[in-house]
Amino acid sequence: MPATSLDTIVSLCKRRGFVFPSSSVYGGLGSTWDYGPLGVELKNNVKRAWWRSVVHERDDMEGLDAAILMNRLVWKYSGHEATFSDPMTDCRACKTRPRADHVFAAQKGRDPKGLAEINAAIEAKEIACPKCGSKDLTPARPFNLMFRTSVGPVDSGDDSGLVYLRPETAQGIFVNFGNVLDTMRRKLPFGIAQVGKAFRNEITPGNFTFRTREFEQMEIEYFVRPGEDEAAHDAWIAERKNWYLQLGMRKENLRVREQEKHELAHYAKRCVDLEYLFPMGWSELEGIANRTDFDLRAHSRSPENPDAVGELKYFDQEQKKHLVPYVIEPSAGADRATLAFLCDAYEDALVKEPPAEETAKLRDLVESFARSVGRREGMAADVKQRLVSAAEAIAAGLPATLPRLIGLMEDGEAGSIEVMKKVRGVGEKIAEEHTRTVLHLHPRLAPLTVAVFPLKRNDARLVELARSLKRDLQKAGLRAVYDDTGAIGKLYRRQDEIGTPWCITVDFQSLEDQTVTVRDRDSMQQERLKAPELATALTSRLA
Ligand code: ATP
């Protein structure tokens, strides 16, 4: 079964060290997440795969790593100070502050055409607060999303030291256009790629790492001659879609959506979104825009911009004249891509039916848990509803829903209900023996590439051979770990759950003929290969 709710992914991520709530020892900071030991490997692999595809494997691209803090004038002339805002409304009844365009879109089934249309709908009481249902909403007003801070030891209070945490990496590329052009002797068309943090004071962050206030972008600005922009745009749309597919994303979960005229940013001639079918529905993974010559002109000295020191332009040898290139911008999110790969890779299944009487006992306990939650006082209504509906669905579907019970048993809020102890007492053992959760991640993305086990951990010869094999694989550049903390079946299950494509077992035969068992995560097939040839064999499968 694929992941039907984001909670399943959140639960796996917390349980297995992919992603933790940030600053949890102080109760956390809403919608802020830390990537744990496996999450950092996965996200690094996503960023590496992107860099390899858009920089190293092409002849027309350069890389860049610009500073997060930039001269404030960058954001003045890019238009962000004046226009980088989202419309927000306040609910007078429950005091929440939702994004008014999202409320409009969810309730009217289409995007609004602007602030005026949103406010007409609020005035006519056609839309309601998504939290409490009240139609008593304030008129929507723009809220600038840039985080402000100040440079220097003294905050003079007059904005003289004001700087912003960059809300996108793109501007760092535009203002370096001339530097890269001159130093790398580039001819059009060529592009610049950058990966880095961006910050937006989002009004309604949420859906786990999908929308956060601090995130990482993977952006390209591709410079072309005016007139060659439309073909370059189409080529990048195909290229970027392919990248996700080549890394194993299912094609039925990825679509290309043309932005409508009223959705386009003021600088864009055309924009296409690559959308992924997340558990919460189709949502943007990456935007690919034709930004025309807007940005290079905006940062060039002109009557509109007396602050710029020069002009960002290109001398065309063929035409013997200066021109301002057009720009195609494929702009992806590293966190969103990582989340999409996780959702796409997830599968849980019942591997064998537990005895009927054990299922019946567990069903009674889960139903009793749902009733206890329903009676519980002082629990937030949304938490209550989430737990009750999850427990009822699990109870009704047992034993097929056994894999889902694992998430419920590990839910922090569920743990505060007394009967959960009994659910765990019975459920953990049954789930362990009868279910299998697998992340079918592409081997190049998987946090670990290979795990090596000795058949018996108390046999020094097996342990030594397994450890030295692990060291050799690591030296060959494969991310390898050694583990002997459980029986082989259990170790396989743990590695399946984190997406490790290959597990290697060193057994007594290995001591005689240097062959080992290689078990494939997806097919669960085992084959015997020669230990000294393993690194080459696995490296070729990674390509
Ligand atoms: P959205 O409409 O979802 O707010 P956007 O159109 O404002 O996104 P862009 O400015 O085009 O996003 O940014 C490019 C990419 O950066 C997005 O496709 C997404 O992958 C990522 N991104 C943008 N905002 C966030 C965020 N708050 N959290 C995580 N990733 C983000």
Side-chain angles (χ1 to χ4, degrees), residues 100 127 171 204 213 221 233 274 294 305 412 423 457 468 497:
I127 56 177
Q171 298 302 323
T204 40
R213 296 193 171 103
E221 306 303 332
H233 197 183
L274 292 182
F294 176 85
N305 184 347
V423 174
R457 68 173 157 186
S468 79
E497 211 183 11

Short mmCIF file of all heavy atoms in Angstrom, two decimals, residues 100 127 171 204 213 221 233 274 294 305 412 423 457 468 497:
data_model
loop_
_atom_site.label_atom_id
_atom_site.label_comp_id
_atom_site.label_asym_id
_atom_site.label_seq_id
_atom_site.Cartn_x
_atom_site.Cartn_y
_atom_site.Cartn_z
N ALA A 100 -5.34 34.05 2.51
CA ALA A 100 -6.65 34.28 1.92
C ALA A 100 -6.78 33.66 0.53
O ALA A 100 -7.85 33.18 0.16
CB ALA A 100 -6.92 35.79 1.86
N ILE A 127 -16.78 32.88 1.54
CA ILE A 127 -15.73 31.97 2.02
C ILE A 127 -15.64 32.06 3.54
O ILE A 127 -16.01 33.08 4.14
CB ILE A 127 -14.35 32.25 1.37
CG1 ILE A 127 -13.90 33.69 1.57
CG2 ILE A 127 -14.37 31.89 -0.10
CD1 ILE A 127 -12.51 33.98 1.00
N GLN A 171 18.33 35.62 -7.04
CA GLN A 171 18.94 36.95 -7.18
C GLN A 171 20.46 36.90 -7.03
O GLN A 171 21.17 37.71 -7.62
CB GLN A 171 18.32 37.95 -6.18
CG GLN A 171 16.83 38.17 -6.38
CD GLN A 171 16.47 38.68 -7.77
OE1 GLN A 171 17.19 39.47 -8.37
NE2 GLN A 171 15.34 38.21 -8.30
N THR A 204 1.06 30.49 6.36
CA THR A 204 0.57 29.18 6.79
C THR A 204 1.52 28.08 6.31
O THR A 204 1.30 27.46 5.28
CB THR A 204 -0.85 28.88 6.23
OG1 THR A 204 -0.91 29.37 4.88
CG2 THR A 204 -1.93 29.47 7.06
N ARG A 213 9.47 27.70 6.78
CA ARG A 213 9.95 29.09 6.67
C ARG A 213 11.42 29.14 6.29
O ARG A 213 11.92 30.15 5.85
CB ARG A 213 9.68 29.82 7.98
CG ARG A 213 8.18 29.92 8.26
CD ARG A 213 7.86 30.91 9.38
NE ARG A 213 6.44 31.13 9.46
CZ ARG A 213 5.63 30.61 10.37
NH1 ARG A 213 6.11 29.82 11.31
NH2 ARG A 213 4.34 30.86 10.36
N GLU A 221 19.46 29.54 -13.51
CA GLU A 221 19.10 30.64 -14.41
C GLU A 221 19.83 30.35 -15.71
O GLU A 221 21.07 30.27 -15.74
CB GLU A 221 19.52 32.01 -13.85
CG GLU A 221 19.01 32.30 -12.44
CD GLU A 221 17.49 32.24 -12.29
OE1 GLU A 221 16.78 32.49 -13.28
OE2 GLU A 221 17.01 31.92 -11.18
N HIS A 233 12.89 27.03 -23.10
CA HIS A 233 11.93 26.76 -22.03
C HIS A 233 11.36 25.35 -22.17
O HIS A 233 11.35 24.56 -21.21
CB HIS A 233 10.81 27.81 -22.09
CG HIS A 233 10.00 27.89 -20.83
ND1 HIS A 233 8.92 28.72 -20.69
CD2 HIS A 233 10.09 27.23 -19.66
CE1 HIS A 233 8.40 28.58 -19.48
NE2 HIS A 233 9.09 27.67 -18.84
N LEU A 274 5.90 21.78 -12.29
CA LEU A 274 5.91 20.33 -12.20
C LEU A 274 5.24 20.01 -10.88
O LEU A 274 5.66 20.51 -9.84
CB LEU A 274 7.34 19.78 -12.20
CG LEU A 274 8.14 19.94 -13.49
CD1 LEU A 274 9.52 19.30 -13.33
CD2 LEU A 274 7.41 19.31 -14.66
N PHE A 294 13.82 40.61 -17.50
CA PHE A 294 13.40 41.46 -16.39
C PHE A 294 14.51 41.66 -15.35
O PHE A 294 14.83 42.78 -14.97
CB PHE A 294 12.16 40.86 -15.72
CG PHE A 294 11.71 41.62 -14.51
CD1 PHE A 294 10.87 42.71 -14.63
CD2 PHE A 294 12.15 41.27 -13.24
CE1 PHE A 294 10.48 43.44 -13.52
CE2 PHE A 294 11.76 41.99 -12.11
CZ PHE A 294 10.93 43.08 -12.26
N ASN A 305 17.13 52.80 -12.11
CA ASN A 305 18.04 52.23 -11.11
C ASN A 305 19.36 53.00 -11.09
O ASN A 305 20.36 52.58 -11.67
CB ASN A 305 18.30 50.75 -11.38
CG ASN A 305 19.17 50.13 -10.29
OD1 ASN A 305 19.75 50.84 -9.47
ND2 ASN A 305 19.26 48.81 -10.27
N GLY A 412 3.21 10.40 19.48
CA GLY A 412 3.43 10.94 20.82
C GLY A 412 2.13 11.21 21.56
O GLY A 412 1.99 10.89 22.75
N VAL A 423 -2.32 -1.68 23.78
CA VAL A 423 -2.28 -1.83 22.31
C VAL A 423 -0.85 -2.18 21.91
O VAL A 423 -0.60 -3.10 21.12
CB VAL A 423 -2.73 -0.53 21.60
CG1 VAL A 423 -2.54 -0.65 20.09
CG2 VAL A 423 -4.17 -0.19 21.93
N ARG A 457 27.06 -13.07 15.44
CA ARG A 457 27.91 -11.98 15.93
C ARG A 457 28.93 -12.45 16.96
O ARG A 457 29.81 -11.70 17.35
CB ARG A 457 27.06 -10.85 16.49
CG ARG A 457 26.33 -11.19 17.75
CD ARG A 457 25.67 -9.98 18.31
NE ARG A 457 24.57 -10.39 19.17
CZ ARG A 457 23.74 -9.56 19.72
NH1 ARG A 457 23.84 -8.29 19.48
NH2 ARG A 457 22.79 -10.00 20.51
N SER A 468 35.70 -5.98 7.62
CA SER A 468 36.68 -5.56 6.61
C SER A 468 35.99 -5.35 5.27
O SER A 468 36.34 -4.45 4.50
CB SER A 468 37.86 -6.52 6.53
OG SER A 468 37.50 -7.66 5.79
N GLU A 497 13.11 -0.73 5.65
CA GLU A 497 12.32 0.42 6.11
C GLU A 497 13.03 1.75 5.83
O GLU A 497 12.38 2.79 5.72
CB GLU A 497 12.08 0.26 7.61
CG GLU A 497 10.79 0.86 8.07
CD GLU A 497 10.60 0.75 9.57
OE1 GLU A 497 11.56 0.39 10.29
OE2 GLU A 497 9.49 1.06 10.01
#
